Amino acid sequence: MAVCARLCGVGQSRRCRRRQRHNQQDQGSDSDMDEEEEERIVGKGRFDAGACGGPDTGPPHPQSLAELPPELLVEIFSLLPGTTLSNVALVCKKFRQLLKTETIWRRRCIEEFGMREDLRKVEARGVTSQDLYVKLLYPYRHILGLWQPDIGPYGGLLNVVVDGLFIIGWMYLPPHDPRVEDPMRRRPLFQIHMMESNKATVECMYGHKGPHKGDIQTVKKDEFSTKCNQTDHHRMPGGRQEEFRTWLEEEWGRTLEEIFHEHMQELILMKFIYTSQYDNCLTYRRIYLPPAKPSDLLQPGLFKGTYGSHGLEIVMLSFHGMSARATKLTGDPNVPAGQLTLDVNLCRPVVLPDLEQQCNIEELSRLVMGVHEEVQREQEQKENGTSATGRCAAEGACGGSSAAEEMESDHGACSDSCDSSHSSRSNPETQPFVLPMGVMARNEEYPRTCRKCFYGTGLIAGHGFTSPERTPGLFVLFDKDRFGFIWLELKSFSLYSRLTDNLPHAHAPDLERFEAMLRNMQSWTS
């Protein structure tokens, strides 16, 4: 602020110059002569400028920022971040008055929060753009972006966005099983607005009686909670039976009588009972979209996939060196949200046989299990190598190959394999693909051509996440927006399709923050 004061020629800096000139009066004639000489030089410069260009009849040049025309100051202030404008208002009265100009705050709302609403119409209703920024957008800026609700093993995906004159928390729901290619469904959980008063109002949107009173509390950084103050709005006249039928139709798009599989009925009823406990209070933790790199096999992001009787679930695909990983954002009682559902080794491509042999599950198992045994042998060698470092060093001293050399050669071979497999992204070559006989698929309309296949493992577990283990399978890349995974032990196939919704405020600040988020996600549900 002191710098602003010196630029403006106001405030404390002016008094400082006055005191400085007063103190310099006693410093002798040399300083006086210097000041007089300076004034003569400045005056001569002004006279010469007038002589060269004619008489200077225009207005004097501004000597400080405060002397600029008001319209120019408004333009300058509108370019500053909104967080700094409160400090600018403290400089002087003129700046404080100019900062009441709606043009400044209108531009801040648009550029910082992407508002598309015509703010002039909003101002006509009595809500100024300054109030919109200061009382709504800025105080709740920390909840914008992607969040995962704490609903036990089921998880979820919440996207908080600025939508017109509202901040709305949208719960994203997968399409109805098994239509994995359909777009995501959305349901509003809460909204914040300034439509009825001069302060922000939080409303719960859960239930079927319209908006009602709610509250939002920031628990700690990257975490917040919502609370409903009128839970009676969530109840239905027909009681729990009517609530269950309505929930079932929204969640699955069908009635209980249309679901013939008894195990699926049990899973659906279990989910309704569990999730209905969280209808009045929920805690959310921030999640980020995975960062993308040019070397990635395909664009990382969010995908919806089929998981047998559990229906469709949302996963996050990210790349970590020579592996691709899919982490669950929504889960089930067997493998909960936050767990690593797929781990793909990009250094282990699998070449598919012809279509006739692809139909044979035994042939596919032979190919994948061959790679699986090689990976296990390499892991055992690495574990044994760490315990025999001294022996390997001795062999290297005697002329034998050292462990470091062997690891370097293995790494080079793996890098070459990865480079050859990644080159398919720039020049993809498709090949015929068909599921083996006996492999179950929720959606029979899967692609009949693929680009690449890789060895990978999938996470399976018993009910309650008991006895978890990683089982080998085949990762199939179909195109830039679809991939699949064949679970050999389960003899089932999962098809994944990209989530194409626009998700602002969701990108990770850096790779370290994203990696830390993945580690925390597993601890939330473990």
Side-chain angles (χ1 to χ4, degrees):
M1 194 169 67
V3 175
C4 293
R6 287 195 296 272
L7 288 173
C8 303
V10 297
Q12 184 179 0
S13 60
R14 177 180 293 176
R15 293 195 298 271
C16 291
R17 290 197 300 272
R18 188 181 298 116
R19 286 196 301 269
Q20 185 178 6
R21 287 196 299 268
H22 178 72
N23 294 334
Q24 288 178 349
Q25 291 179 358
D26 300 331
Q27 292 181 0
S29 59
D30 292 340
S31 61
D32 294 338
M33 183 65 69
D34 292 339
E35 291 182 2
E36 293 175 3
E37 184 67 22
E38 183 180 355
E39 290 180 0
R40 285 198 298 270
I41 292 174
V42 173
K44 184 176 182 302
R46 290 176 179 173
F47 177 77
D48 293 342
C52 294
D56 188 5
T57 58
H61 296 291
Q63 301 299 312
S64 67
L65 190 63
E67 296 177 8
L68 292 175
E71 59 273 13
L72 185 56
L73 287 174
V74 168
E75 180 64 23
I76 294 174
F77 294 160
S78 64
L79 297 174
L80 298 176
T83 53
T84 64
L85 296 180
S86 58
N87 292 331
V88 175
L90 299 175
V91 174
C92 62
K93 183 178 180 180
K94 179 178 180 179
F95 287 6
R96 187 164 58 251
Q97 290 296 118
L98 287 175
L99 285 175
K100 296 180 180 179
T101 307
E102 287 296 280
T103 306
I104 299 174
W105 300 99
R106 201 179 297 145
R107 187 166 181 174
R108 290 299 90 218
C109 292
I110 294 173
E111 292 188 358
E112 294 184 22
F113 298 98
M115 293 198 65
R116 301 176 181 177
E117 187 79 8
D118 189 351
L119 295 179
R120 292 182 178 84
K121 295 180 180 179
V122 178
E123 294 159 7
R125 302 175 191 170
V127 179
T128 66
S129 296
Q130 182 176 1
D131 286 342
L132 195 64
Y133 185 97
V134 173
K135 299 179 180 180
L136 177 64
L137 300 179
Y138 183 76
Y140 291 97
R141 71 194 184 283
H142 59 279
I143 69 171
L144 297 178
L146 288 181
W147 303 83
Q148 186 179 44
D150 184 6
I151 315 180
Y154 298 102
L157 180 63
L158 179 80
N159 187 27
V160 183
V161 297
V162 177
D163 192 343
L165 302 181
F166 296 80
I167 293 178
I168 301 181
W170 293 100
M171 180 67 84
Y172 275 64
L173 304 173
H176 292 140
D177 182 55
R179 298 194 292 270
V180 69
E181 303 280 1
D182 288 0
M184 296 287 289
R185 298 175 294 125
R186 299 191 309 171
R187 184 176 67 197
L189 289 191
F190 63 85
Q191 64 181 15
I192 315 170
H193 63 85
M194 293 182 59
M195 302 299 292
E196 299 175 357
S197 62
N198 200 28
K199 64 178 182 178
T201 301
V202 179
E203 293 179 334
C204 176
M205 302 290 289
Y206 192 86
H208 303 272
K209 296 183 180 179
H212 46 283
K213 292 182 180 180
D215 188 26
I216 290 180
Q217 296 179 348
T218 302
V219 181
K220 56 184 178 181
K221 183 181 180 181
D222 293 336
E223 185 175 319
F224 77 97
S225 296
T226 58
K227 182 181 179 181
C228 176
N229 297 331
Q230 293 178 294
T231 54
D232 57 298
H233 281 63
H234 304 174
R235 308 282 79 88
M236 287 187 166
R240 297 289 281 175
Q241 290 186 352
E242 183 181 358
E243 293 172 11
F244 174 67
R245 287 195 299 269
T246 304
W247 174 87
L248 183 61
E249 186 174 352
E250 293 178 353
E251 188 82 8
W252 291 83
R254 63 185 78 175
T255 63
L256 193 63
E257 292 75 20
E258 295 174 336
I259 302 174
F260 302 105
H261 200 291
E262 184 177 352
H263 178 59
M264 184 179 291
Q265 291 180 354
E266 295 176 355
L267 291 173
I268 292 173
L269 184 59
M270 184 187 309
K271 185 175 183 179
F272 169 74
I273 295 174
Y274 193 98
T275 57
S276 59
Q277 304 175 43
Y278 294 85
D279 64 348
N280 63 333
C281 186
L282 265 178
T283 299
Y284 304 88
R285 299 182 180 94
R286 183 179 293 280
I287 58 177
Y288 297 109
L289 291 177
K293 300 183 292 295
S295 59
D296 292 341
L297 184 66
L298 72 160
Q299 182 73 17
L302 305 185
F303 291 78
K304 43 195 184 294
T306 56
Y307 278 86
S309 301
H310 299 292
L312 300 187
E313 298 184 8
I314 306 172
V315 303
M316 174 186 292
L317 180 69
S318 56
F319 292 88
H320 308 263
M322 299 174 183
S323 65
R325 301 172 186 169
T327 305
K328 281 192 172 187
L329 297 185
T330 61
D332 51 68
N334 290 69
V335 179
Q339 296 300 315
L340 182 63
T341 179
L342 301 179
D343 191 359
V344 183
N345 191 334
L346 298 178
C347 294
R348 295 292 180 175
V350 176
V351 179
L352 294 178
D354 56 34
L355 282 178
E356 183 178 352
Q357 290 183 310
Q358 286 185 38
C359 295
N360 188 349
I361 184 63
E362 301 297 332
E363 177 64 20
L364 180 63
S365 298
R366 184 187 64 81
L367 291 173
V368 175
M369 293 307 296
V371 179
H372 180 66
E373 292 172 359
E374 289 181 6
V375 172
Q376 285 186 323
R377 283 196 299 268
E378 289 182 0
Q379 291 178 348
E380 292 176 358
Q381 291 175 359
K382 289 181 180 179
E383 292 174 358
N384 296 333
T386 56
S387 61
T389 305
R391 179 175 58 81
C392 292
E395 290 178 358
C398 295
S401 61
S402 65
E405 292 174 348
E406 292 179 0
M407 291 178 63
E408 184 177 354
S409 62
D410 291 342
H411 180 77
C414 188
S415 299
D416 294 339
S417 176
C418 290
D419 291 340
S420 63
S421 61
H422 285 187
S423 64
S424 63
R425 184 175 180 182
S426 58
N427 186 22
E429 296 180 0
T430 60
Q431 55 182 322
F433 174 81
V434 65
L435 284 176
M437 298 292 293
V439 174
M440 297 177 294
R442 299 288 296 175
N443 195 332
E444 294 295 336
E445 298 179 0
Y446 61 89
R448 292 306 193 269
T449 59
C450 67
R451 294 182 180 179
K452 284 285 182 180
C453 296
F454 297 90
Y455 159 80
T457 60
L459 182 61
I460 61 175
H463 186 83
F465 198 43
T466 57
S467 305
E469 62 173 317
R470 305 209 67 86
T471 179
L474 183 68
F475 175 89
V476 185
L477 176 63
F478 294 115
D479 52 45
K480 64 183 182 65
D481 293 323
R482 291 178 297 179
F483 65 88
F485 191 79
I486 300 178
W487 308 74
L488 290 181
E489 183 174 337
L490 304 179
K491 291 187 178 180
S492 66
F493 172 73
S494 294
L495 176 64
Y496 300 83
S497 178
R498 185 182 298 277
L499 193 154
T500 58
D501 299 66
N502 182 32
L503 302 173
H505 308 286
H507 295 281
D510 49 57
L511 182 60
E512 290 74 14
R513 186 78 65 88
F514 177 77
E515 296 280 0
M517 178 212 70
L518 285 183
R519 292 191 296 269
N520 292 334
M521 284 180 64
Q522 293 187 6
S523 65
W524 297 340
T525 56
S526 295

